[in-house]
Amino acid sequence: MTRSDASDCDVVIVGSGPAGVSAAFPLLDAGLRVVLVDGGRDVQVPALGGPFLERRLADARQWEWMVGRDFHALRQLDAVSPKFRVPAHAPVFDGFASANRIVSKDFVAVGSLATGGLSNAWGCGVACLSAEELASFPLGATEMRDSYRSVAMRIGISGGAGDDLSEFFGLDAWSQAPLAMDELQGGLFRRYMRGAGRTRRHGLRLGRARMATLSAAMGDRLSCDLSGNCLWGCQRRALYCSTEDLRALQCRPGFVYRPGFIVEDVAWDGSRAGVHGRTALGRERLHGRRVVLAAGTLASTRLALSAIDHRAAVPMQSCPTAAFLLWLPMHLGRARQAAFGLGQLAFALDLPSLGEAYGALFSTTGIPLGEFARFLPVGRRSALDVLEPLLASCIVGNVFLPGSLMDATLQLDAQGSLQVSGRFRDEVAGLMDDVRRRLAASFRALGAILLPGSFRLGRPGSDIHYAASLPMCMSPHVGQTDAFGALVGAPGIHVVDGASLPFLPAKPHTLTIMANADRIGRHVADLLSRRCGNRGSNDGIPACSL
């Protein structure tokens, strides 16, 4: 299919992030014509290789990729994550709210117009939902397994190790070997394995992090070399980004990619679905037998609520999160070493009546010293003086609570913009205090000290895990979706990103979004393919005209 044919196709997908590309594969496998549109911002990774620590010592122009020629990092000092201060990542986040007419109040609202979306700057943590967790989905637990496997094998996952988190992650059968850990986390894990009972009495289980990162090469993607450059961009392409899948899709017949297409609204005109948007050349309309929304929870929700003219507020889930710093005194005085810059170890912490909290542990290599100053209850200058000799013996951690503990709402205003607001539920402060105490006790038993004052609760929305605003339900009403992401009140429109999840767990949820998008894509492909072969059937969707 040529670009000139793209105005009339079988399926239009909005968004090139992990959900959008995952829905595209089964549609193309069925021989359908697919057009995928997105904002198309280009993310350029600095063309520098070698270990991070060597670059910091020898690169005379490191200020260009650390600070930016336009002093990007210095203009983002109040940003919630170091990702926002990396100059190369500026196109990932810039312009999203204004382009998608999203207005936030007391809530961090983040999305992306970049090719590949937020997968350009994610933490790469992956997990499957358990059968018990999938019980809240309007489908059988086994319906997701094939899609989990298909996505896991396609993107490449490492970490399968047969440890105390094997059942929690549910991925070992499809995983490559774990990445090597640095001395700090390797020693911490060995002490845990020798006496896990010392932490289990506090409800904590420790294991290898399962990551969408290659420990063995796949095709032209190379394995991780432990250089510590993860925050700054992976030149080896070991970290999964959906641009990898987009490259593969562009080689498939029947697929057209339209970058630079900002979708303003979607609608059903009585015979086909339409996507209206703007490009550099002006406004344009695309039509298809189905539209698949995969623009991210916030953008997809605005488009969906506009399509059905739903003005009432809808709830959204987001995970309360905190960060902390662990000090391992036995490693004091050692030099920092090259290490994988994302999660090496992960933990699950029992929350009575609420399920589990989840967290990961990271090396301090690859993260600028100034990022850690906020962890200490002293002034920035004093914090830097303390951290410089201390940081090589420290591990940084984060922790997430279930998304049900956030009271967030999304609502269209009179101008059609999406108003986003949110606050933690009253019990979050007490829960986080309990989590802090239990983590401190658990890690103290393993020879690590949770530095006093370093446990910091993030702002509402700073987790950038948003979901369940258009949840799949067995008997959905307006403002919800059915078991296949079909939006009630808008024929021909399916939602496949986080907005359609029934709930948001504390554990990583991107793989579940991708598997659900694959599952819905298979359903839509089957539905449209059957109608191609049966011209007499009609549910208001035009017969295939291939």
Side-chain angles (χ1 to χ4, degrees):
M1 182 170 56
T2 66
R3 177 166 174 161
S4 61
D5 299 321
S7 61
D8 199 356
C9 61
D10 290 307
V11 181
V12 180
I13 299 176
V14 181
S16 62
V21 297
S22 294
F25 281 101
L27 295 169
L28 293 169
D29 288 343
L32 298 174
R33 302 172 303 172
V34 176
V35 176
L36 187 150
V37 302
D38 71 358
R41 295 284 182 89
D42 189 22
V43 180
Q44 293 289 341
V45 176
L48 298 170
F52 174 82
L53 295 176
E54 291 182 9
R55 289 167 59 180
R56 290 285 284 124
L57 286 173
D59 185 1
R61 301 190 67 83
Q62 60 189 269
W63 66 272
E64 292 184 351
W65 51 269
M66 292 196 70
V67 179
R69 293 187 177 184
D70 61 350
F71 303 103
H72 172 83
L74 300 181
R75 292 186 285 106
Q76 305 292 328
L77 292 178
D78 293 332
V80 296
S81 166
K83 299 173 186 176
F84 293 96
R85 283 179 281 281
V86 175
H89 288 164
V92 177
F93 307 106
D94 285 353
F96 169 79
S98 59
N100 286 284
R101 298 163 64 187
I102 292 170
V103 181
S104 61
K105 179 182 179 182
D106 301 324
F107 191 89
V108 178
V110 176
S112 179
L113 298 178
T115 299
L118 292 175
S119 67
N120 287 281
W122 69 311
C124 289
V126 287
C128 294
L129 296 188
S130 66
E132 182 180 2
E133 289 166 328
L134 287 170
S136 64
F137 282 54
L139 49 95
T142 57
E143 291 184 45
M144 287 284 283
R145 183 170 176 81
D146 285 346
S147 290
Y148 271 130
R149 180 186 183 280
S150 176
V151 173
M153 298 300 291
R154 187 182 81 233
I155 69 176
I157 286 172
S158 61
D163 56 30
D164 282 356
L165 293 183
S166 290
E167 185 176 349
F168 175 85
F169 286 114
L171 283 168
D172 287 3
W174 312 315
S175 292
Q176 297 180 351
L179 296 168
M181 288 186 285
D182 60 22
E183 293 179 9
L184 276 71
Q185 296 196 53
L188 192 73
F189 191 48
R190 287 190 293 272
R191 290 189 291 278
Y192 171 83
M193 294 298 290
R194 288 196 297 267
R198 290 176 293 175
T199 67
R200 286 180 184 157
R201 67 172 176 265
H202 301 293
L204 183 135
R205 289 171 291 141
L206 194 66
R208 297 271 193 163
R210 272 59 169 182
M211 307 296 291
T213 306
L214 301 183
S215 62
M218 281 180 56
D220 59 353
R221 294 173 60 201
L222 302 178
S223 62
C224 175
D225 63 357
L226 307 180
S227 65
N229 293 323
C230 304
L231 179 64
W232 311 95
C234 182
Q235 299 243 316
R236 298 172 64 85
R237 293 162 50 204
L239 307 180
Y240 171 76
C241 177
S242 62
T243 53
E244 300 292 343
D245 282 331
L246 190 59
R247 291 188 186 99
L249 290 170
Q250 289 178 276
C251 297
R252 300 282 297 270
F255 181 80
V256 169
Y257 172 47
R258 291 288 310 277
F261 192 110
I262 304 296
V263 176
E264 297 181 321
D265 62 81
V266 297
W268 176 256
D269 66 9
S271 62
R272 57 185 179 172
V275 171
H276 307 160
R278 64 184 186 275
T279 70
L281 300 177
R283 298 189 183 279
E284 187 174 343
R285 294 190 179 194
L286 302 177
H287 294 97
R289 301 163 68 204
R290 290 288 193 275
V291 168
V292 170
L293 295 181
T297 295
L298 300 179
S300 288
T301 301
R302 189 194 71 78
L303 292 170
L305 296 182
S306 296
I308 58 177
D309 195 26
H310 187 77
R311 299 288 166 166
V314 297
M316 181 181 73
Q317 295 192 16
S318 174
C319 294
T321 184
F324 56 90
L325 202 58
L326 295 174
W327 178 44
L328 283 69
M330 66 185 70
H331 291 274
L332 184 63
R334 298 190 183 186
R336 296 172 81 183
Q337 65 176 114
F340 178 54
L342 299 178
Q344 296 182 34
L345 288 173
F347 61 86
L349 186 68
D350 292 335
L351 298 176
S353 76
L354 286 172
E356 293 167 307
Y358 166 83
L361 303 180
F362 304 78
S363 168
T364 60
T365 299
I367 305 176
L369 180 65
E371 294 293 341
F372 299 100
R374 67 190 66 198
F375 284 97
L376 299 184
V378 295
R380 184 177 179 86
R381 179 65 264 173
S382 298
L384 293 175
D385 290 339
V386 170
L387 284 169
E388 189 166 5
L390 196 67
L391 208 55
S393 56
C394 289
I395 296 171
V396 64
N398 61 19
V399 62
F400 297 88
L401 302 184
S404 58
L405 291 167
M406 179 77 72
D407 281 327
T409 60
L410 308 179
Q411 185 171 20
L412 287 179
D413 63 18
Q415 290 72 44
S417 296
L418 188 72
Q419 299 288 330
V420 184
S421 62
R423 57 178 294 275
F424 298 128
R425 293 197 170 179
D426 293 341
E427 58 265 40
V428 166
L431 279 169
M432 279 296 194
D433 195 45
D434 179 55
V435 166
R436 178 189 59 78
R437 288 195 300 267
R438 289 199 282 155
L439 288 178
S442 296
F443 287 117
R444 186 167 57 247
L446 301 177
I449 297 170
L450 198 157
L451 287 177
S454 74
F455 192 93
R456 298 295 178 92
L457 181 64
R459 292 160 53 195
S462 61
D463 58 307
I464 319 179
H465 295 180
Y466 316 134
S469 52
L470 304 166
M472 296 184 298
C473 301
M474 190 65 71
S475 299
H477 56 67
V478 174
Q480 296 180 336
T481 55
D482 71 7
F484 299 105
L487 181 65
V488 174
I493 298 175
H494 295 260
V495 183
V496 301
D497 55 28
S500 65
L501 297 185
F503 79 106
L504 181 62
K507 66 170 60 172
H509 68 299
T510 299
L511 188 67
T512 294
I513 290 174
M514 298 177 77
N516 192 49
D518 174 89
R519 181 187 68 86
I520 293 173
R522 292 173 191 242
H523 167 77
V524 173
D526 180 62
L527 189 68
L528 297 186
S529 297
R530 283 190 283 112
R531 288 200 166 88
C532 285
N534 181 5
R535 302 266 180 176
S537 64
N538 190 351
D539 65 345
I541 309 299
C544 179
S545 57
L546 288 176

